[in-house]
Amino acid sequence: MAPAQAAQSQPQSPSEIFLDAVSVAFGDRHALSRVSVTLNHRRIGVIGSNGSGKSTFARLLNGLVTPTSGTLRVSGLNPVTEAKEIRRRVGFIFSNPDAQIVMPTVAEDVAFTLRGRGYTRAEIAVRVTATLERYGLAAHADAPAHNLSGGQKQLLALSAILVGEPQILVADEPTALLDAANTRRIGNYLLDELPQQLVLVTHDLALAARCDHVLRFSEGRLVDQGHPAAVIDRYANAVEHG
Amino acid sequence: MIALYRPGTSLLHRTPAGLKVVLFMLVSLAITVAGSTPWALPLALVFVIVGYLLAGFGARELARQVFAVRWLVLFMLVAQIIFLPPLVAVGNAARVLAVVVLAALITLTTRIPALLDAIDRALRPLRRVGVNSAAVGLLLAMTITTIPVIAGFAATIREAQRARGAKLRLATFAVPLLVMSLKHSDDLADALAARGVE
Ligand SMILES: Nc1ncnc2c1ncn2[C@@H]1O[C@H](COP(=O)(O)OP(=O)(O)OP(=O)(O)O)[C@@H](O)[C@H]1O
Ligand SMILES: [Mg+2]
């Protein structure tokens, strides 16, 4: 347990996300057009208007979406051909906490991630308990997951992903359905405490401003990237002046 | 409708999940097969009561489980009474009730992962004919997880309709429920894939 604890609390060095002319098309609709970028920042923000391709970009990173053309590597792996390994290394959380809960109770859902990884039952129990304690869910371990509040469910989704100790966490609008207090709680955790590298898709520009590097998409193209304040400023201007 | 694990230390809690599943299958089979014999029902009743007592739950929990499936039992009763003599219909409904309440006793005293492992092992011989036993277990667990979510959708739709003063009609209820459920199952499939389930 001690090595796992240490690994969790120390920031891990970020791995490289590399895209070269990556396009994604759904039928004749281009969700992403020839995106090229190399990222090795700790906290990467992704912004842009509705339908601009943010989710498609995020989903590429753990193999939920397949590039139509171009080259994609995450931590040196190809998410398409090495999907199994990628899914251990790249955790993903979605907006809707309800649709991420697979098992009936809180502890079972967290334990579910560790099935088939060669841990003994006792090891799984120890890891699950430690994770639930870290996220303030220990008191709900045996409660039906369905009865948690929205914020608690999102914490559960986070616990269930992080118990597997991924290297990268991709979060697609993780606070979209949360109230102000829970947005702050989850946002603070992701931006200040998470030891993993983070890719955060968000419409909340205050959260994006706290990242190390921000990407802006527009109509499937990567139109801007760089220092958060500058990118957000130009985005605000673009929105203002059409 | 499906009972969730209640932590405890009773004899039944400590019995291995596999043994409970096998015992349950045998007893259900006996209750089904021995249907017309007059002693089958009283024996099933004794079995159910002893089971709940062994688990440390008592009559209150038993009553609650019976109450939870009242609509199912009532529906069966009504459907059968049209075609069968009343006594037979009542007997059939009572047997189904006994099996359902016993199943609840298992989920009340067994953690889902243990139950899944047991089901996985019990179904493993069927792998040769192409049954993916692990997938069956996962499907079962996800069904248990999803039932309250779908029930929540139904409540939301009803509320929205009431707010607009709409009367309850099957089309205006079933269509949005289907759409929401399909969207949910799409999202759930994504989440499963992201968590490494093929
Ligand atoms: N599975 C799909 N099938 C068809 N089209 C899709 C699919 N997924 C995305 N698209 C389309 O690709 C484009 C980009 O979608 P994407 O979900 O990546 O946008 P987004 O930036 O995440 O938007 P939002 O802020 O609304 O979440 C949109 O035009 C969308 O309609
Ligand atoms: Mg999106």
Side-chain angles (χ1 to χ4, degrees), chain A residues 93-136:
Chain A
I93 62 171
F94 301 80
S95 309
N96 183 353
D98 266 316
Q100 299 174 70
I101 299 167
V102 179
M103 289 288 140
T105 71
V106 171
E108 287 160 4
D109 194 59
V110 175
F112 176 74
T113 305
L114 299 177
R115 293 188 100 218
R117 291 202 184 181
Y119 294 117
T120 65
R121 261 176 221 210
E123 283 166 347
I124 290 182
V126 168
R127 278 163 194 266
V128 168
T129 307
T131 304
L132 291 179
E133 265 162 22
R134 183 171 306 130
Y135 298 102

Side-chain angles (χ1 to χ4, degrees), chain A residues 26 29-31 48-57 172-173 203:
Chain A
F26 297 105
R29 205 190 160 104
H30 272 264
S49 50
N50 288 133
S52 57
K54 303 180 299 296
S55 296
T56 308
F57 171 76
D172 189 355
E173 298 188 44
H203 288 292

Side-chain angles (χ1 to χ4, degrees), chain B:
Chain B
M1 167 132 173
I2 292 173
L4 283 183
Y5 179 71
R6 199 85 46 84
T9 53
S10 76
L11 180 64
L12 226 59
H13 282 89
R14 284 176 283 129
T15 308
L19 185 58
K20 278 187 275 196
V21 169
V22 169
L23 271 178
F24 168 73
M25 294 208 278
L26 288 179
V27 173
S28 311
L29 197 70
I31 292 176
T32 317
V33 174
S36 47
T37 33
W39 47 263
L41 259 184
L43 209 64
L45 186 70
V46 169
F47 205 86
V48 167
I49 291 174
V50 169
Y52 273 75
L53 288 179
L54 276 182
F57 290 138
R60 209 196 175 96
E61 185 59 48
L62 180 54
R64 205 161 54 195
Q65 295 303 328
V66 171
F67 189 71
V69 293
R70 63 196 181 281
W71 297 117
L72 174 74
V73 173
L74 198 71
F75 173 77
M76 286 201 32
L77 208 59
V78 172
Q80 293 192 48
I81 255 171
I82 303 171
F83 305 104
L84 298 172
L87 212 61
V88 178
V90 170
N92 284 344
R95 278 184 298 154
V96 170
L97 180 63
V99 170
V100 172
V101 168
L102 278 178
L105 187 59
I106 295 198
T107 51
L108 277 168
T109 58
T110 318
R111 286 181 187 276
I112 298 284
L115 200 58
L116 294 190
D117 284 345
I119 292 169
D120 186 8
R121 257 175 287 136
L123 294 183
R124 202 159 280 176
L126 295 181
R127 276 199 181 167
R128 247 168 280 168
V129 294
V131 175
N132 182 343
S133 50
V136 172
L138 179 60
L139 196 69
L140 220 69
M142 287 183 55
T143 306
I144 298 173
T145 314
T146 307
I147 285 172
V149 178
I150 307 277
F153 291 162
T156 308
I157 295 167
R158 255 327 272 145
E159 264 169 27
Q161 292 185 340
R162 257 196 218 114
R164 288 179 295 162
K167 284 214 189 73
L168 180 64
R169 289 216 329 268
L170 193 62
T172 53
F173 181 74
V175 172
L177 185 62
L178 194 67
V179 170
M180 286 173 92
S181 305
L182 288 177
K183 168 88 174 73
H184 181 76
S185 72
D186 249 17
D187 290 350
L188 205 57
D190 273 350
L192 270 180
R195 287 176 78 174
V197 178
E198 295 315 315

Side-chain angles (χ1 to χ4, degrees), chain A residues 4-5 7-9 12 93 106 110 127-141 148-149 151-166 169 182 185-196:
Chain A
Q5 288 278 13
Q8 280 281 341
S9 50
Q12 295 160 11
I93 62 171
V106 171
V110 175
R127 278 163 194 266
V128 168
T129 307
T131 304
L132 291 179
E133 265 162 22
R134 183 171 306 130
Y135 298 102
L137 291 171
H140 305 281
L148 298 180
S149 73
Q152 287 173 325
K153 279 183 194 165
Q154 200 59 306
L155 278 174
L156 170 58
L158 204 56
S159 315
I161 299 306
L162 295 182
V163 74
E165 299 182 356
L169 179 71
N182 280 310
R185 189 167 174 205
I186 301 267
N188 285 347
Y189 181 77
L190 291 178
L191 290 161
D192 300 336
E193 284 170 54
L194 186 78
Q196 275 90 353

